[in-house]
Amino acid sequence: MRKWFMSCFSLFLVFTMLVGCSMQAPTSSSDNTGNAGNAQSGGKKRFAIIFKNTGNPYGEKQMEGFKIAIEELGGEAILKAPDQPTAEAQIQMIEELISQKVDAIAIVGNDPDALQPALKKAMDAGIKVLSLDSAVNAQSRMVHVNQADPERIGRVQVQAITEMIGGSGEIAVLSATSQATNQNTWIEWMKKELEDPKYKDVKLVKVAYGDDLRDKSVSETEALLKSYPNLKGIIAPTTVGIAAAGKVLTDKGLKGKVQLTGLGLPSEMAEYIESGVSPWMYLWNPVDVGYLAGYAADALVKGTITGKVGDKFTAGRLGEKEVIQDGDGTQIMLGDPFKFDPSNIGEWKTVY
Ligand code: RAM
């Protein structure tokens, strides 16, 4: 009987160990501080940034800007990004940061609403929460740091592709994830721009999602070309998507046959801008977006701003910034989107 009990007990132990292992939380795949768990910060304030996912040079530049700002301010930066661009993975990271009692969390949201319970919990615990680049809803944040006016970003890309395709033909959008607030907002503005009668001969045939993953963006581009043999242009409002599309169009010898524009990182797009596969594209400085978010987070922690309209603070080398209205929430605007073409891509490709 005792033997029987012991073997049952050991089976139980093995079982609980296995279950315990399989249910263990996935660890953060990017934590450039080298700190695990409750980091000792030597009395410094700790500011975390969570990007959409790893493997995106744009995200790395944004986090780099955040880190520069936080270090200028004497704080400690915690840089994080999950492997996959999902809300669930970000929620896990927010929970970890709450238990580490960080001072601020700046989030590039993988979903506008799904992060709300976790971010509210963070704010209830006294953590200052802001979003940047891809917003979370107004209830989930104190302020949003916006790279540029979404209306302009959306409309200008439709104007560009229309000019490139000579005013008529089928176009498609290659986006990031279907939940990404920033891309979805820009696509809404693209559709509004397309309502103008001057685009009556331009047909948006599909919005495809490459999820900001290189391979998926490549296969989605290939699928677009296959499903729409008359396709004349692709707008990719994501740095990962536009670079993948640039490669596919180059490899298939489609330069001049299928036009490409969108939002690209000069370092990744220079060869396609120079070759003419993408005649021109747009972006802003991702380092500055992160840097501005770093200063905004610090201003929230110090109480210089609370995130209400009219609040002002000095954002280091970017100078004075003001909090303005953004729907039912508030935002801080970085500036205007910038046009990259063969005349200037050379000077920017080494910068970001
Ligand atoms: C990708 C990301 C990012 C977006 C840029 C334009 O790198 O989706 O959030 O702002 O593209």
Side-chain angles (χ1 to χ4, degrees):
M1 178 69 183
R2 185 158 184 266
K3 220 167 152 194
W4 178 84
F5 174 76
M6 284 309 283
S7 43
C8 282
F9 186 60
S10 15
L11 263 177
F12 171 72
L13 276 184
V14 170
F15 176 71
T16 42
M17 270 168 67
L18 282 176
V19 170
C21 286
S22 65
M23 283 177 50
Q24 227 168 44
T27 49
S28 117
S29 44
S30 161
D31 183 344
N32 299 353
T33 61
N35 290 324
N38 288 303
Q40 287 305 310
S41 55
K44 286 181 179 176
K45 299 271 186 215
R46 289 176 301 160
F47 298 81
I49 181 170
I50 307 177
F51 187 66
K52 288 178 170 177
N53 61 309
T54 51
N56 181 347
Y58 172 97
E60 280 152 26
K61 287 286 170 191
Q62 209 161 64
M63 291 195 284
E64 180 187 315
F66 184 81
K67 188 166 190 255
I68 293 169
I70 297 305
E71 288 177 357
E72 276 176 14
L73 290 158
E76 182 189 323
I78 300 171
L79 317 182
K80 284 180 167 286
D83 284 337
Q84 298 296 316
T86 66
E88 293 70 33
Q90 289 189 320
I91 289 168
Q92 179 88 49
M93 289 183 162
I94 295 164
E95 294 289 347
E96 284 165 17
L97 292 167
I98 295 172
S99 53
Q100 289 171 25
K101 297 188 169 58
V102 297
D103 295 282
I105 298 175
I107 182 118
V108 183
N110 279 331
D111 189 291
D113 305 311
L115 304 171
Q116 188 170 330
L119 292 174
K120 279 201 111 158
K121 185 174 162 193
M123 288 190 280
D124 288 346
I127 298 172
K128 306 299 177 195
V129 172
L130 65 160
S131 54
L132 67 149
D133 187 42
S134 181
V136 291
N137 69 30
Q139 294 72 45
S140 309
R141 66 179 209 230
M142 301 171 82
V143 72
H144 175 64
V145 172
N146 207 337
Q147 49 271 69
D149 178 11
E151 177 172 353
R152 280 206 57 198
I153 298 174
R155 290 189 189 275
V156 84
Q157 294 176 80
V158 169
Q159 291 156 8
I161 202 73
T162 303
E163 193 179 329
M164 289 173 193
I165 65 172
S168 73
E170 293 181 357
I171 60 165
V173 170
L174 173 68
S175 191
T177 69
S178 61
Q179 301 302 315
T181 323
N182 51 349
Q183 272 89 13
N184 284 347
T185 311
W186 302 330
I187 293 168
E188 281 312 306
W189 283 112
M190 289 179 202
K191 290 180 176 165
K192 285 208 180 99
E193 177 71 10
L194 283 166
E195 282 168 13
D196 191 306
K198 70 180 176 208
Y199 298 106
K200 66 178 186 346
D201 297 326
V202 179
K203 191 172 173 221
L204 174 62
V205 291
K206 169 121 181 155
V207 177
Y209 298 97
D211 291 354
D212 270 353
L213 303 171
R214 174 88 182 170
D215 291 350
K216 179 143 194 256
S217 303
V218 165
S219 56
E220 288 294 326
T221 308
E222 289 167 348
L224 282 175
L225 297 170
K226 207 165 165 210
S227 310
Y228 303 95
N230 297 322
L231 195 69
K232 285 182 78 181
I234 298 174
I235 299 176
T238 139
T239 59
V240 179
I242 195 174
K247 176 154 181 17
V248 172
L249 297 183
T250 303
D251 292 351
K252 291 192 180 298
L254 290 172
K255 176 185 140 187
K257 296 196 182 83
V258 179
Q259 301 288 349
L260 175 65
T261 193
L263 306 173
L265 208 53
S267 55
E268 295 186 294
M269 287 298 291
E271 65 175 293
Y272 308 125
I273 298 276
E274 279 156 4
S275 73
V277 161
S278 173
W280 71 89
M281 60 167 200
Y282 302 86
L283 199 71
W284 41 85
N285 185 335
V287 180
D288 285 352
V289 185
Y291 183 88
L292 179 54
Y295 269 87
D298 178 73
L300 286 169
V301 168
K302 289 195 176 122
T304 321
I305 65 170
T306 58
K308 69 172 192 320
V309 172
D311 279 356
K312 289 193 178 111
F313 66 106
T314 305
R317 60 175 162 74
L318 296 175
E320 175 143 307
K321 288 283 168 187
E322 186 172 347
V323 177
I324 58 172
Q325 197 71 41
D326 170 34
D328 54 349
T330 63
Q331 64 179 338
I332 303 158
M333 192 70 82
L334 176 68
D336 281 327
F338 187 82
K339 180 178 176 182
F340 296 95
D341 62 18
S343 74
N344 60 17
I345 196 76
E347 58 184 281
W348 287 102
K349 66 182 178 190
T350 52
V351 187
Y352 55 85

